Amino acid sequence: NHTKITEFLLVGFKSHPGSQLFLSVLFSTMYAITVVGNVCMILIIRMDSKLHTPMYFFLENLSALDICYSSVITPRATLIFSLDRRNISYNGCASQMFFFSLFGTTEAFFLAVMAYDRFTAICNPLLYQVIMNKRLCVFMVMASYLSGCINCTIQTGFTFSLSFCGPKEINHFFCDVAAVMHASCSDTLVNELVMLAVCGSIITGTALVVFISYGYIIITIVQMPSAESRHKAFSTCSSHMLTICLFFGTVFFMYAQPGATSSPDKSNTISIFYTIVIPMLNPFIYTLRNKEVKGSLKKQLKRKGFFI
């Protein structure tokens, strides 16, 4: 007979009690930077009419997504480390998994959409305004969220159809699919195959769009006649390439390879990068490496009296 589990215990990083305060301060600081940085990015884009272009429309939506993405994980993780409140209800765990999968999958599609936008701008500059019209941009954003919703419904539904009969510990600091699956007393082979097939196809598919787009972009940039035009074209997509490498590198390790559930300790550390670090770094990557955003920021600060 199996006892019905009503709550789980998130025991990620519990083996290092001396570092709990450090992790609490670190997570809360990174979350504050994430929210402030991405809100500032949204405000900069909203307040400058010169940035009302498809590229910055996607960047604004990415910033809003990163706030939601990080908010699903970081506040509760901070409570775990500061107050040692490691229990999470069964329904709360399912909800966290649902929204984390939703926002994480949507971000993968966003990065693919942004790569296609840069491909169109650099490889087909004369047709850019025609192709990347407002209707298509809104459609691609909505399609990204719809794809994320489909994936998170599949992952959450399959995972919580398993039996959980104890122990109720989840070796992670949030309800990740692989970690919850690892805590089940059911046979998880089918679930692992579903995760590998669905997540693997999403990650591989979006990564292919990204790499094919940037393959054509690099070829086009190399063929440009002047060094100035090559530098200008490369500067518009270099920040996006850095974000892509960080995101897809860590996510592929976590979800798109066989045996993803077999190394929970290693996944705890790696998952910090794509759940907390990358959403925090995105505003800095796009701001510090983008002349238009830096110029707009200086103009807004000068208007508010911060610069003379």
Side-chain angles (χ1 to χ4, degrees):
N1 293 329
H2 290 176
T3 303
K4 175 71 174 179
I5 294 292
T6 58
E7 68 174 16
F8 297 100
L9 289 176
L10 299 169
V11 298
F13 298 114
K14 194 174 183 179
S15 58
H16 309 286
S19 63
Q20 299 302 298
L21 180 60
F22 169 75
L23 288 172
S24 175
V25 173
L26 179 65
F27 275 44
S28 56
T29 302
M30 289 195 294
Y31 180 64
I33 294 172
T34 299
V35 173
V36 172
N38 282 288
V39 167
C40 287
M41 197 73 193
I42 294 170
L43 291 176
I44 291 168
I45 295 170
R46 286 284 179 93
M47 294 171 68
D48 193 341
S49 58
K50 291 182 180 178
L51 300 182
H52 293 175
T53 63
M55 183 177 95
Y56 293 105
F57 172 74
F58 295 130
L59 187 54
E60 180 184 356
N61 278 276
L62 179 67
S63 293
L65 182 68
D66 278 339
I67 294 172
C68 297
Y69 187 42
S70 186
S71 296
V72 173
I73 304 299
T74 317
R76 176 172 280 278
T78 303
L79 287 176
I80 289 173
F81 300 131
S82 59
L83 304 177
D84 203 35
R85 291 176 54 181
R86 296 181 176 273
N87 58 305
I88 182 171
S89 68
Y90 183 92
N91 292 332
C93 187
S95 298
Q96 188 182 56
M97 181 184 294
F98 180 90
F99 287 107
F100 171 72
S101 298
L102 169 63
F103 297 131
T105 306
T106 303
E107 177 138 351
F109 279 95
F110 266 21
L111 294 175
V113 165
M114 292 171 73
Y116 176 74
D117 171 72
R118 292 299 82 208
F119 159 76
T120 309
I122 294 172
C123 300
N124 298 290
L126 298 178
L127 296 175
Y128 179 67
Q129 295 296 333
V130 177
I131 297 172
M132 299 302 296
N133 56 69
K134 186 175 181 179
R135 186 175 180 180
L136 179 63
C137 292
V138 172
F139 171 77
M140 288 196 289
V141 169
M142 297 303 294
S144 297
Y145 274 103
L146 178 61
S147 301
C149 194
I150 291 171
N151 180 51
C152 69
T153 302
I154 293 171
Q155 296 297 336
T156 308
F158 267 84
T159 302
F160 283 88
S161 66
L162 297 170
S163 297
F164 299 93
C165 47
K168 57 183 179 179
E169 288 87 2
I170 295 174
N171 192 4
H172 218 306
F173 61 90
F174 69 96
C175 289
D176 181 57
V177 175
V180 175
M181 211 186 295
H182 197 261
S184 171
C185 56
S186 301
D187 182 6
T188 61
L189 177 61
V190 173
N191 293 69
E192 291 187 48
L193 291 175
V194 169
M195 185 179 77
L196 182 62
V198 177
C199 293
S201 61
I202 289 171
I203 295 167
T204 304
T206 51
L208 275 175
V209 172
V210 168
F211 293 135
I212 291 172
S213 296
Y214 275 101
Y216 280 105
I217 287 170
I218 291 170
I219 292 171
T220 303
I221 290 175
V222 169
Q223 293 175 345
M224 288 179 176
S226 67
E228 183 181 351
S229 60
R230 288 195 297 270
H231 176 74
K232 184 178 179 181
F234 183 75
S235 66
T236 63
C237 57
S238 58
S239 56
H240 187 229
M241 292 172 67
L242 180 58
T243 303
I244 286 165
C245 293
L246 288 171
F247 182 83
F248 281 104
T250 53
V251 169
F252 181 85
F253 179 88
M254 289 293 297
Y255 300 107
Q257 60 169 335
T261 63
S262 61
S263 55
D265 292 324
K266 190 181 294 184
S267 68
N268 282 346
T269 304
I270 294 174
S271 59
I272 292 175
F273 283 92
Y274 68 89
T275 58
I276 301 171
V277 176
I278 293 175
M280 179 188 69
L281 290 179
N282 277 348
F284 296 98
I285 291 172
Y286 285 105
T287 302
L288 297 177
R289 298 187 62 84
N290 191 304
K291 290 182 179 179
E292 290 179 326
V293 175
K294 285 192 289 187
S296 177
L297 179 59
K298 288 179 182 178
K299 185 174 71 175
Q300 296 300 330
L301 291 174
K302 188 179 292 184
R303 186 181 297 174
K304 299 297 182 181
F306 288 98
F307 292 146
I308 300 176

